[in-house]
Amino acid sequence: RGMTPSDPGHSDAALAARAVKGDRSAFNRIVQRHQEPLYRFIRRYVGDADEAYDLLQDTFVSAWQALGRYDPTRPAATWLRRIALNKCRDWGRRRTVRRFFYGAASLEAADVASIANVEDSADEAAMVRLDRAIALLPSQLKEPLLLTAFEGLSQEDAGQALGITAKAVETRVYRARKLLAEALAADSVDNDTRGS
């Protein structure tokens, strides 16, 4: 018999209740159900596939440890996204501290290397540029953008997740889109200049 999230016995809340009692297979089902969208969210936040994978693992380890605090009346996806967001913020702080103490390693060289490994597909290259540009946004702009534009949350839900008003979400998303458009336009000019 196929499992679907709508089966009461296989809802996230029911699986979490079983996992709290030590049923690792129930938690593994939660992981399987949510790992792809969470990975995409983290990847867009940090702009690096390997770092995103590590942060995804950290997110699920923290979720397992915090299962007793999960509120089954709220969507598990929102709870997991909140944990992932905190992991991404921690990663960003550690990265800033490392840069400060060890000097900014050549980001340009790293970016060129990552682009060089991308297939010649224009769509793939555009996605890499977009992910990189999003990762460079300030967190107060990046987070509302990711939650609304990529995760599909309403401005109200994103505001709840971030502890800000829906109007603040709207304003920050507008500013994030504007900065992204400018960054991508500049990146496109840089690529054209290098290509000629």
Side-chain angles (χ1 to χ4, degrees), residues 39-48 52 55 84-92 95 131-132 134-140 142-143 146:
Y39 174 78
R40 287 192 306 271
F41 172 76
I42 295 169
R43 167 76 198 269
R44 286 198 169 104
Y45 194 107
V46 301
D48 180 280
L55 289 168
L85 185 59
N86 287 333
K87 295 293 175 191
C88 290
R89 287 173 174 167
D90 291 345
W91 174 86
R95 188 169 175 229
D131 284 351
R132 202 176 57 211
I134 291 171
L136 294 174
L137 286 172
S139 61
Q140 71 268 19
K142 176 179 5 188
E143 293 165 4
L146 289 174

Side-chain angles (χ1 to χ4, degrees), residues 3-18 26 29-30 33-34 70 72 76:
M3 267 190 324
T4 64
S6 59
D7 287 344
H10 297 294
S11 68
D12 287 333
L15 290 171
R18 288 174 35 208
R29 288 184 185 151
I30 292 172
R33 189 175 288 166
H34 296 284
Y70 168 62

Side-chain angles (χ1 to χ4, degrees), residues 126-194:
M127 283 307 297
V128 168
R129 285 197 305 274
L130 177 63
D131 284 351
R132 202 176 57 211
I134 291 171
L136 294 174
L137 286 172
S139 61
Q140 71 268 19
L141 300 182
K142 176 179 5 188
E143 293 165 4
L145 178 72
L146 289 174
L147 291 175
T148 56
F150 294 99
E151 295 297 308
L153 265 62
S154 68
Q155 291 176 351
E156 291 78 18
D157 289 343
Q160 271 190 330
L162 297 170
I164 59 177
T165 66
K167 184 65 179 169
V169 169
E170 180 183 5
T171 302
R172 291 179 187 188
V173 167
Y174 172 79
R175 289 175 51 211
R177 287 181 188 275
K178 189 173 177 200
L179 282 176
L180 268 183
E182 291 167 5
L184 292 172
D187 190 39
S188 178
V189 168
D190 289 345
N191 285 340
D192 291 345
T193 306
R194 280 195 296 265

Side-chain angles (χ1 to χ4, degrees), residues 71-104:
D71 176 0
T73 64
R74 310 226 23 174
T78 303
W79 179 67
L80 289 167
R81 202 178 298 110
R82 185 74 189 167
I83 294 171
L85 185 59
N86 287 333
K87 295 293 175 191
C88 290
R89 287 173 174 167
D90 291 345
W91 174 86
R93 281 191 288 271
R94 285 192 308 270
R95 188 169 175 229
T96 300
V97 168
R98 279 197 303 268
R99 271 208 196 122
F100 178 77
F101 283 110
Y102 300 112

Side-chain angles (χ1 to χ4, degrees), residues 56-75:
L56 178 68
Q57 299 307 311
D58 290 348
T59 296
F60 284 120
V61 167
S62 292
W64 172 257
Q65 293 167 343
L67 261 177
R69 296 192 303 273
Y70 168 62
D71 176 0
T73 64
R74 310 226 23 174

